[in-house]
Amino acid sequence: MKNSDEHIIKISDIVYTAAILIAALVIFALVAGGGKGQTVVFKLDGEVLAELPLDKDATYEVQGAYTNVFAIEGSTLRVTETNCPHQECQKTGAVSAMGASIVCAPNHVSATITGEGVEIDAITG
Amino acid sequence: MCAAIVLALGMAGCGNAQEQHTSQSFVMDTVFDQTVYADTVLVVASNTQLVNNIEALMSKTIPTSDIYKINHSLGHDVSVNGETARVIRASLQVAEQTEGAFNPAMGDIMQLWGFGTESENVPSPERIAKVLELSDYTKVEVKDGNLVNSNGVMLDLGGVVKGYALDSLKDNLDLMGAGPALVSLGGSIYARGTKPDGAPWTIGVRDPFGSSTDYMGTLELTDMCISTSGSYERGFTEGGVYYHHIIDPATGYPAKNGLVSVSVMDEGGLETDLYSTALFVMGAEKGVEFAQEHEISALFITEDKKLYKTGSFVDDFQLTDEGYYTNH
């Protein structure tokens, strides 16, 4: 019997895709609307993956070419584990300020703390 | 249907005011962040493409780049893109002006140290002395018709491409009729216009003694560029000693003069990148003198937290961290 499973888009795929799109639209609306409260926005290749509140302890793992494991703990954000070449992201340590971000360049990943009241627009350094 | 929703939402904001478009991408081994107010979302993609094009021309590792071809040309003339020729010419001019403190011919030395690669290591004094002889920027010729002959010297434009990209981005934003914008390429920043609410773009200067998101002072920039050379980036530790990546062309070793960072602001992005490197290599005393003489606005930070300011930094820089001592 011919196996035709590989070409079937399952219902769960559609639901999952729709959920991600809706989440993306919600995030877009939040960011465009100025956002409320401090949240961490995780991006891979510039695309938003997730948005988590800074005041709720959690871990979040990003799989790109490498793996970064982020921890939100006590309203701070840091990388607890990574297999990227220089671990610069992990060496950044914990950040908590509005507008602060942790970047893993080899993995094309960034995690930024956003919300109201960003004092500065960018850092030169 | 989902695509239609996304499209509809994307277009929902298209009223009279220019819309804010943001983007983050990775190019030139670093983060490229953009916030642009424009009539079309195409601006950010255009900017990203532009920076990628510059990297394609001036990277020393991409085999099809102008710089790679020059570096492997065995003393022959190489025909390059007009932009490449312009950047090399500007680099050579500043090299001469700074008596080699900025040197675009450091390809061999940088390769020897291997910063940012798996082969980063502290070379022997003998090997350093040998490659030092190969870093003579006076051997580089830029001839009419965009022909470049490096005469065996290896170019490395790492200390200038980001600043140059800022100038190109400014031109592109002008061309596309963009409004206010803030673009940041690995810490080299162009602040265009003022934010729609009338507030100026506020830039933080990284605290050399903190993390990459700590800042020790701020500047309000309007239609200006700023770049920073700092010893805290792209260095490595060997045998318990930290070696930063800003090599003094005179010694072949990381510049050791008590400075931890130098920031330069100017309308020209290329200038900010060239001079932040050159002034770092010169050190505070010579650097301050040079900056004042040539009317360069610069901020010098020393390893014992002293600040020296020239030009616009004197009045415009707001210190936010009390742990620093301002001289004069």
Side-chain angles (χ1 to χ4, degrees), chain A residues 21 46 101 110 119 121-124, chain B residues 24 187 195 202 204 206 215 228:
Chain A
L21 272 171
S101 63
S110 72
E119 289 172 38
D121 299 301
I123 290 183
T124 180
Chain B
Q24 180 175 90
K195 293 191 271 195
T202 304
R206 175 176 166 170
Y215 57 94
T228 301

Side-chain angles (χ1 to χ4, degrees), chain A residues 47-63:
Chain A
E47 301 291 324
V48 176
L49 291 177
E51 193 180 5
L52 299 176
L54 187 63
D55 58 4
K56 206 169 149 204
D57 287 4
T59 60
Y60 186 72
E61 187 176 303
V62 181
Q63 297 274 10

Side-chain angles (χ1 to χ4, degrees), chain A residues 32-97:
Chain A
K36 281 198 197 112
Q38 285 175 279
T39 53
V40 182
V41 179
F42 297 91
K43 290 184 185 177
L44 171 64
D45 282 318
E47 301 291 324
V48 176
L49 291 177
E51 193 180 5
L52 299 176
L54 187 63
D55 58 4
K56 206 169 149 204
D57 287 4
T59 60
Y60 186 72
E61 187 176 303
V62 181
Q63 297 274 10
Y66 303 96
T67 303
N68 307 123
V69 180
F70 291 88
I72 297 175
E73 220 176 343
S75 291
T76 70
L77 170 75
R78 64 194 173 96
V79 170
T80 51
E81 255 183 79
T82 179
N83 60 355
C84 62
H86 298 279
Q87 286 104 46
E88 291 298 329
C89 51
Q90 197 165 2
K91 290 174 192 167
T92 302
V95 299
S96 56

Side-chain angles (χ1 to χ4, degrees), chain B residues 216-218 288 292 298-302 304-328:
Chain B
M216 40 70 77
T218 61
V288 168
Q292 283 169 339
L299 174 73
F300 301 76
I301 304 179
T302 73
D304 43 11
K305 290 196 155 187
K306 289 206 193 85
L307 301 178
Y308 297 89
K309 299 179 283 185
T310 65
S312 308
F313 275 96
V314 175
D315 290 332
D316 297 351
F317 179 71
Q318 294 289 323
L319 186 65
T320 54
D321 184 328
E322 283 157 14
Y324 286 83
Y325 313 96
T326 306
N327 280 36
H328 65 68

Side-chain angles (χ1 to χ4, degrees), chain B residues 239-281:
Chain B
V241 180
Y242 176 69
Y243 297 88
H244 69 79
H245 79 296
I246 306 171
I247 300 294
D248 184 343
T251 65
Y253 286 90
K256 202 169 152 64
N257 51 36
L259 286 178
V260 290
S261 84
V262 176
S263 301
V264 172
M265 65 165 143
D266 195 282
E267 278 171 13
L270 187 61
E271 283 77 4
T272 63
D273 213 352
L274 287 164
Y275 287 121
S276 66
T277 308
L279 294 175
F280 188 103
V281 167

Side-chain angles (χ1 to χ4, degrees), chain A residues 17-18 21-22 25-26 28-29 31-32 43-47 85-86 88 91-112 118-125, chain B residues 2-3 5-6 9-10 20 22-26 29-31 116-118 120 182 184 186-189 195 200-207 211-215 218 226-228 230 232-233 235 263:
Chain A
T17 307
L21 272 171
I22 290 168
L25 296 177
V26 168
F28 168 84
V31 172
K43 290 184 185 177
L44 171 64
D45 282 318
E47 301 291 324
H86 298 279
E88 291 298 329
K91 290 174 192 167
T92 302
V95 299
S96 56
M98 200 76 73
S101 63
I102 298 178
V103 169
C104 179
N107 205 19
H108 296 190
V109 165
S110 72
T112 309
V118 180
E119 289 172 38
I120 57 164
D121 299 301
I123 290 183
T124 180
Chain B
C2 286
I5 292 172
V6 173
L9 260 176
Q20 186 198 70
T22 61
S23 159
Q24 180 175 90
S25 55
F26 293 84
D29 214 21
T30 191
V31 185
T117 71
E118 279 164 10
E120 56 189 18
L182 188 71
S184 171
S188 281
I189 297 168
K195 293 191 271 195
W201 296 106
T202 304
I203 309 302
V205 175
R206 175 176 166 170
D207 180 358
S211 79
S212 61
T213 51
D214 291 327
Y215 57 94
T218 61
I226 186 167
S227 294
T228 301
Y232 39 75
E233 345 165 75
S263 301

Side-chain angles (χ1 to χ4, degrees), chain B residues 35-117:
Chain B
T35 299
V36 183
Y37 290 88
D39 296 325
T40 167
V41 70
L42 296 174
V43 175
V44 290
S46 172
N47 283 343
T48 303
Q49 185 62 58
L50 185 152
V51 181
N52 275 286
N53 288 349
I54 292 173
E55 183 175 33
L57 283 176
M58 303 187 204
S59 157
K60 66 178 185 204
T61 53
I62 297 174
T64 47
S65 80
D66 282 344
I67 298 304
Y68 189 94
K69 286 185 204 153
I70 293 169
N71 287 347
H72 293 80
S73 63
L74 302 173
H76 295 123
D77 285 355
V78 177
S79 176
V80 301
N81 186 292
E83 289 187 77
T84 310
R86 197 156 64 236
V87 173
I88 294 174
R89 226 183 248 117
S91 302
L92 293 171
Q93 277 165 6
V94 172
E96 203 182 303
Q97 187 194 41
T98 62
E99 291 171 17
F102 178 81
N103 184 341
M106 301 280 282
D108 276 311
I109 294 181
M110 296 306 281
Q111 195 168 336
L112 188 63
W113 281 88
F115 291 105
T117 71

